[in-house]
Amino acid sequence: MSVEQHEFQAEVKQLLDLMIHSLYSNKEVFLRELISNASDAIDKVRFEGVTKPELLPSGEFAIQLTADPEARTLSVADNGVGMSHDEVVTNLGTLAKSGSGDFIAKLKEAGKQGDAPELIGQFGVGFYAAFMVADQISVLTRRAGEPDAVLWKSDGGGGYSLEDAERSEAGTTVTLHLKPSDEEDGLGDFTDEWVLRQTVKKYSDFVAYPIRLEVIRPPQADDAEDAEEAKEDTSNEPLNSMKAIWTRPESEVEDAEYNEFYKHISHDHQEPLLRVASKMEGNFEARSLLYVPSKAPFDLYHREMAHKGIQLYVRRVFIMDECKDLVPDYLRFVRGVVDAEDVTLNVSREMLQQDRQIQAIRKYLVKKVLDSLKTLKKNDEEKYLSFWAEFGPVLKEGLLVWDEKNKDRILDLVLARSTHDESKLTSLADYVERMNDDQEDIYYMVGGSYDALVNSPHLEAFKEKGIEVLLFADPVDDVWLQQMPPQFKEKSFKSAGRGEVDLSTSEGDESEEKDDAKDQEQFGDLVSALAKALEASAKEVRLSKRLTSSPACLVLDEGQLSPQLEAMLRQAGQDVPDNKPIMEINVEHPLLVKLQEIFETDASDARVASYAELLFAQAQLAEGGQLADPAAFSRKLADVMLDAL
Ligand code: ADP
Ligand code: MG
């Protein structure tokens, strides 16, 4: 292969342009990024080496920094997995990593407003960050298991070149030709030993492989021996302590170190929201250091992609990244490390699930995380609210799992809107606390959005009688509340929008019952006529006990599918059985009073049927639903309006 010229993907060009002209003051983070890539590459080859030992390097795993002040170059070399020609093209020519789409979108936005630089700090952009400090970068890399190397070169302009090359071992060497240092611009001298030591200490101290530094000093005629000594001095002692951060007592580790470690393992560039360090003792021993991120990754709901899992170590030795068996799906946002004492070292990914110790650790971690969230909820409301906004819907998936103990723990963590105070979220415990003395159930309502729920006609009687209703609008709510409703503090959940509700209080019971019977008798025929007119869309029409100001509403039977769930099932290509709602009417409403008059005068008046349809359609709209035939509805409405004029 001669020299190939390649163009960067458009997004990469934008990104590079930003890097090169960056005003971001923390330019030193480029080194963290390169070291972290080197460390990831070593992790990868170690993992592949479990089944293919021939891929492993002959010497120890290490990351070597070489600084040449004279030539103004700095290189970062590793003996990790390396990259093939094609891998180089995708990895160092495109932006494929998670979150980058989001980043680019924000970048474009910020570019317009001229405040793009801070975004670098927020997102971190890996390899490309090196263009903040370098005007030329070369990457010499050889994939483990392959004989040839390739050399990638770029000045950060529109593209890069690729050519055949040689490297004695698998691994990667990234060499930067540094821009002139400029302290004012936040650009230190990254060929300076002291600067490099500081930077490694600050960001990469816990990296599990030794990071060594060699500073090339120009040979000086008269003290060649000294120079030789100086070189010896610096090249052997690792700059990083390599101390597994989770083995150190919490009191000795600074928050900043913990946060750097989080960023290192999670590839997130924001501070974590919560840290959970713990030590499991007893039959099985393990240490864990887990984190809850501040922001949900964009792919949190693409389950396969988002469940990145947790790093597994056994006695300080890295075993695997992304071990999904250590936490259930509903905690898939948790990142961190678990270091177990005696998991069998040769377990395969499939066998791991079965491993008794992994099972025990998982149980322990779930409890730890849920308990820590509970403490957070108690002690830091603001943080907890932000947690809930990001991860609440995922956590609620845990209510669909057959695990009573944890279900209770999760219910303790649930927050919901409520008719008690529409501006705030409430916990279930606070709801129960406020329940009326004679109230037996926890009332809730599930819908497509809060706005539709808050104004839903179904809540009229509840509001009038001062009975609080919880409002749920996440897709998962439908499932846990409707399909497998739990109990909370021995109270059942009851939908305000389903079945028959009877809110009559004990004193008023008798007279209300009499009224009901009278209404039945008086309106029975109208009800039948409406039902007939709505045969195709409603399975029943009946008098309502939940309406006070609206003329009609639609309700579902206890076990019936909600419109949201129905839509989801249909989308998934499933057959949905006949699922017509019930229409309830409010005979106190002037509209129905009038309709009754018309009906009594002439039972065959055509207006009865068309009003039935309008009532049904407006009830559908009132709960935020979709009309089956909006055009027919508008025509009908226009006719009625015309008549009324
Ligand atoms: P990230 O590390 O978040 O994936 P980067 O921009 O830092 O993003 O790196 C992009 C990709 O380039 C990495 O995912 C990896 O596949 C590859 N890469 C970068 N540096 C190295 C290296 N030293 N050895 C092997 N592969 C590397
Ligand atoms: Mg990286």
Side-chain angles (χ1 to χ4, degrees):
M1 174 177 77
S2 50
V3 181
E4 292 174 6
Q5 294 297 334
H6 290 255
E7 282 275 298
F8 284 121
Q9 181 198 29
E11 284 84 352
V12 174
K13 282 187 198 168
Q14 283 175 307
L15 182 59
L16 286 174
D17 191 48
L18 180 75
M19 289 298 157
I20 289 164
H21 302 110
S22 168
L23 301 171
Y24 182 57
S25 51
N26 264 345
K27 293 196 168 69
E28 64 197 16
V29 298
F30 86 90
L31 190 58
R32 166 186 76 191
E33 298 297 333
L34 295 182
I35 289 176
S36 125
N37 285 349
S39 159
D40 290 349
I42 298 177
D43 284 349
K44 278 184 208 153
V45 82
R46 280 183 71 182
F47 188 68
E48 292 186 12
V50 173
T51 47
K52 297 185 202 147
E54 66 278 12
L55 297 183
L56 295 172
S58 50
E60 64 154 4
F61 291 116
I63 299 168
Q64 177 69 49
L65 310 185
T66 309
D68 185 340
E70 196 92 326
R72 291 213 49 74
T73 58
L74 170 68
S75 67
V76 180
D78 64 66
N79 48 1
V81 72
M83 287 177 272
S84 65
H85 172 279
D86 293 352
E87 285 168 335
V88 173
V89 172
T90 18
N91 294 335
L92 306 183
T94 63
L95 273 185
K97 69 177 191 184
S98 59
S100 54
D102 194 19
F103 175 71
I104 290 297
K106 290 223 166 112
L107 203 61
K108 283 186 177 148
E109 196 43 42
K112 283 184 220 143
Q113 291 153 25
D115 55 2
E118 277 316 303
L119 280 177
I120 298 175
Q122 278 174 37
F123 281 84
V125 279
F127 172 77
Y128 303 105
F131 281 103
M132 288 195 294
V133 300
D135 47 26
Q136 274 280 353
I137 300 181
S138 69
V139 179
L140 174 63
T141 185
R142 177 176 154 195
R143 180 72 171 86
E146 287 183 17
D148 303 319
V150 323
L151 178 64
W152 176 104
K153 276 197 255 175
S154 175
D155 61 5
Y160 57 91
S161 66
L162 274 185
E163 59 199 278
D164 285 337
E166 283 183 26
R167 199 178 188 278
S168 60
E169 241 202 338
T172 303
T173 308
V174 178
T175 305
L176 313 184
H177 182 264
L178 297 164
K179 296 180 187 174
S181 66
D182 179 352
E183 301 294 344
E184 244 168 63
D185 194 24
L187 188 53
D189 180 358
F190 293 104
T191 60
D192 183 280
E193 178 179 338
W194 188 83
V195 171
L196 291 167
R197 279 180 181 279
Q198 289 288 311
T199 314
V200 169
K201 206 74 200 154
K202 181 166 169 193
Y203 295 105
S204 314
D205 191 54
F206 44 77
V207 167
Y209 310 105
I211 303 168
R212 298 208 169 83
L213 172 65
E214 179 182 352
V215 180
I216 296 174
R217 298 205 166 79
Q220 272 161 20
D222 44 290
D223 58 8
E225 240 165 69
D226 283 0
E228 201 47 42
E229 260 170 40
K231 187 173 152 181
E232 295 274 286
D233 250 19
T234 51
S235 59
N236 277 321
E237 198 54 26
L239 307 186
N240 54 331
S241 75
M242 287 186 281
K243 227 175 154 178
I245 194 166
W246 58 91
T247 62
R248 295 162 57 191
E250 247 189 310
S251 56
E252 280 176 24
V253 185
E254 311 233 348
D255 284 349
E257 286 179 83
Y258 274 127
N259 290 352
E260 279 306 326
F261 180 68
Y262 163 75
K263 292 177 187 174
H264 175 72
I265 54 167
S266 65
H267 292 221
D268 185 1
H269 292 267
Q270 303 181 61
E271 311 281 289
L273 182 92
L274 181 67
R275 177 174 84 232
V276 186
S278 58
K279 189 164 180 232
M280 176 178 176
E281 281 164 335
N283 279 351
F284 296 123
E285 285 184 24
R287 282 172 191 270
S288 60
L289 177 55
L290 306 183
Y291 299 85
V292 174
S294 307
K295 287 264 171 279
F298 77 101
D299 58 355
L300 187 59
Y301 296 96
H302 309 183
R303 196 169 291 196
E304 265 320 296
M305 286 162 74
H307 194 154
K308 302 233 172 60
I310 288 172
Q311 290 189 346
L312 175 65
Y313 284 71
V314 174
R315 284 176 306 256
R316 261 66 62 208
V317 176
F318 175 83
I319 303 296
M320 68 167 83
D321 220 357
E322 317 201 335
C323 178
K324 295 186 183 168
D325 301 313
L326 288 167
V327 283
D329 271 348
Y330 67 87
L331 293 180
R332 60 183 175 271
F333 51 85
V334 173
R335 297 283 174 267
V337 173
V338 168
D339 188 351
E341 285 306 317
D342 23 47
V343 170
T344 339
L345 268 171
N346 60 1
V347 285
S348 70
R349 276 181 190 247
E350 293 70 37
M351 277 168 59
L352 211 54
Q353 275 177 358
Q354 263 57 273
D355 188 281
R356 273 181 61 229
Q357 195 188 8
I358 293 288
Q359 286 305 315
I361 295 174
R362 170 177 162 132
K363 213 168 128 196
Y364 172 81
L365 295 180
V366 171
K367 178 175 178 329
K368 270 285 157 204
V369 172
L370 295 179
D371 285 350
S372 304
L373 287 170
K374 191 171 175 177
T375 310
L376 181 73
K377 176 163 172 276
K378 206 166 87 198
N379 298 340
D380 191 337
E381 193 188 343
E382 196 182 322
K383 258 196 179 166
Y384 188 74
L385 285 173
S386 109
F387 162 77
W388 186 255
E390 296 293 324
F391 301 110
V394 179
L395 193 65
K396 283 189 283 190
E397 290 175 16
L399 296 170
L400 308 177
V401 176
W402 190 250
D403 176 353
E404 289 310 314
K405 236 202 185 105
N406 288 320
K407 221 180 227 190
D408 285 343
R409 292 199 177 99
I410 297 171
L411 286 173
D412 274 334
L413 294 170
V414 165
L415 295 183
R417 297 283 187 98
S418 143
T419 54
H420 171 70
D421 178 348
E422 282 159 18
S423 68
K424 275 213 269 237
L425 292 169
T426 181
S427 68
L428 300 179
D430 288 346
Y431 177 97
V432 170
E433 194 70 20
R434 286 190 297 265
M435 273 169 67
N436 299 338
D437 290 341
D438 55 355
Q439 184 183 339
E440 283 176 4
D441 301 319
I442 298 174
Y443 285 104
Y444 72 88
M445 177 115 184
V446 182
S449 76
Y450 287 116
D451 292 341
L453 282 171
V454 165
N455 299 313
S456 158
H458 302 87
L459 300 176
E460 287 170 3
F462 289 88
K463 285 185 183 160
E464 183 139 303
K465 303 221 163 173
I467 298 173
E468 181 178 349
V469 180
L470 296 173
L471 308 174
F472 289 97
D474 291 323
V476 62
D477 293 326
D478 229 358
V479 192
W480 71 270
L481 282 162
Q482 244 97 255
Q483 311 300 313
M484 45 195 314
Q487 294 239 318
F488 180 75
K489 295 197 192 283
E490 290 163 26
K491 310 263 182 252
S492 304
F493 284 82
K494 189 157 171 38
S495 170
R498 281 175 183 267
E500 305 228 32
V501 299
D502 190 357
L503 301 177
S504 48
T505 44
S506 31
E507 314 100 63
D509 262 3
E510 251 173 55
S511 64
E512 283 191 32
E513 258 168 45
K514 260 185 234 149
D515 285 353
D516 290 349
K518 229 172 69 196
D519 284 349
Q520 286 294 358
E521 205 181 292
Q522 192 185 346
F523 295 97
D525 291 342
L526 175 65
V527 164
S528 311
L530 294 175
K532 186 147 193 343
L534 293 174
E535 227 164 24
S537 33
K539 81 169 164 200
E540 188 189 335
V541 175
R542 69 183 179 212
L543 303 184
S544 182
K545 289 187 195 161
R546 59 184 108 214
L547 295 174
T548 62
S549 50
S550 298
C553 71
L554 303 182
V555 301
L556 298 172
D557 267 339
E558 289 303 346
Q560 225 179 319
L561 288 177
S562 69
Q564 291 83 26
L565 211 55
E566 186 183 337
M568 257 163 64
L569 290 176
R570 283 192 200 284
Q571 226 168 21
Q574 295 215 29
D575 275 340
V576 180
D578 191 17
N579 195 36
K580 289 186 279 191
I582 297 162
M583 183 165 89
E584 291 194 354
I585 54 169
N586 171 12
V587 291
E588 316 267 294
H589 194 280
L591 198 75
L592 282 133
V593 174
K594 195 86 189 175
L595 202 59
Q596 168 74 355
E597 274 173 36
I598 293 173
F599 183 71
E600 276 173 359
T601 324
D602 174 9
S604 62
D605 192 314
R607 281 177 292 178
V608 174
S610 62
Y611 271 83
E613 277 170 43
L614 285 174
L615 278 171
F616 184 88
Q618 66 86 29
Q620 243 177 335
L621 289 174
E623 59 176 45
Q626 302 264 329
L627 298 180
D629 185 352
F633 172 72
S634 325
R635 268 197 311 275
K636 205 144 263 164
L637 188 63
D639 288 348
V640 169
M641 284 162 78
L642 190 63
D643 275 353
L645 281 175

